[in-house]
Amino acid sequence: MNVKSIKKSDLLFTKVIPNLSQIDTLYELLKQRSDKISHTTTPSFKEHQSFVEDHPYRAWYILTKKDSPIGSVYLTNENSIGINIKDTYDVHEVKMIFEFIQRNYSPLPQIKSVRRKDFHVNVSPDNHNLLDCLQRLDMKKIQSTYLI
């Protein structure tokens, strides 16, 4: 998809290119995140910049509401959707994110033991707001993951 930004109701989805402005925005959003899955401490700006420039995702968008960045959403090559939004969102916005992904992307074909055939979301057990939104949207819980 080549569109740089798409407005869905009051949410604006801006594709991560990446450029320095987006790297800065994503770093500020990362520092504000209260629920973490992939890291326990905030990486340095240089580490973050390198990560963003490597662009490890199939698709990645910065979410903006009323001209203010509120989070990001990404889609992996494993059909996982990562949702990172400030705590001020609601079920309507989560639904808009899923609609945006499903309208613009199809899941990649299943590879048994590697990739599910459907989109799925990993959620921190501490992210009660997102868990509540997923339940209210009647999403099916398929697993719990534990660190050893």
Side-chain angles (χ1 to χ4, degrees), residues 26-130:
L26 289 166
Y27 193 63
E28 289 305 312
L29 290 167
L30 177 66
K31 291 190 307 187
Q32 296 171 23
R33 218 186 281 170
S34 57
D35 302 305
K36 299 171 175 77
I37 293 178
S38 61
H39 62 279
T40 55
T41 60
T42 303
S44 70
F45 181 81
K46 188 174 182 174
E47 291 169 322
H48 167 77
Q49 182 176 8
S50 177
F51 179 84
V52 176
E53 288 172 345
D54 285 345
H55 200 308
Y57 304 124
R58 178 177 169 200
W60 196 358
Y61 293 87
I62 295 172
L63 303 172
T64 306
K65 185 176 181 179
K66 297 179 182 171
D67 297 324
S68 179
I70 63 163
S72 66
V73 60
Y74 60 82
L75 177 58
T76 72
N77 288 316
E78 290 77 32
N79 291 333
S80 175
I81 301 170
I83 301 173
N84 300 297
I85 311 175
K86 293 181 182 180
D87 295 333
T88 57
Y89 61 94
D90 61 28
V91 69
H92 174 70
E93 290 164 333
V94 173
K95 183 178 181 185
M96 287 190 330
I97 291 168
F98 290 142
E99 288 172 350
F100 174 84
I101 295 292
Q102 291 175 310
R103 188 174 41 263
N104 293 289
Y105 298 92
S106 296
L108 296 173
Q110 179 180 19
I111 301 173
K112 291 188 186 270
S113 297
V114 174
R115 179 172 54 217
R116 296 186 58 80
K117 67 177 181 166
D118 305 306
F119 289 129
H120 61 280
V121 179
N122 291 320
V123 183
S124 166
D126 297 325
N127 191 339
H128 301 291
N129 193 13
L130 183 53

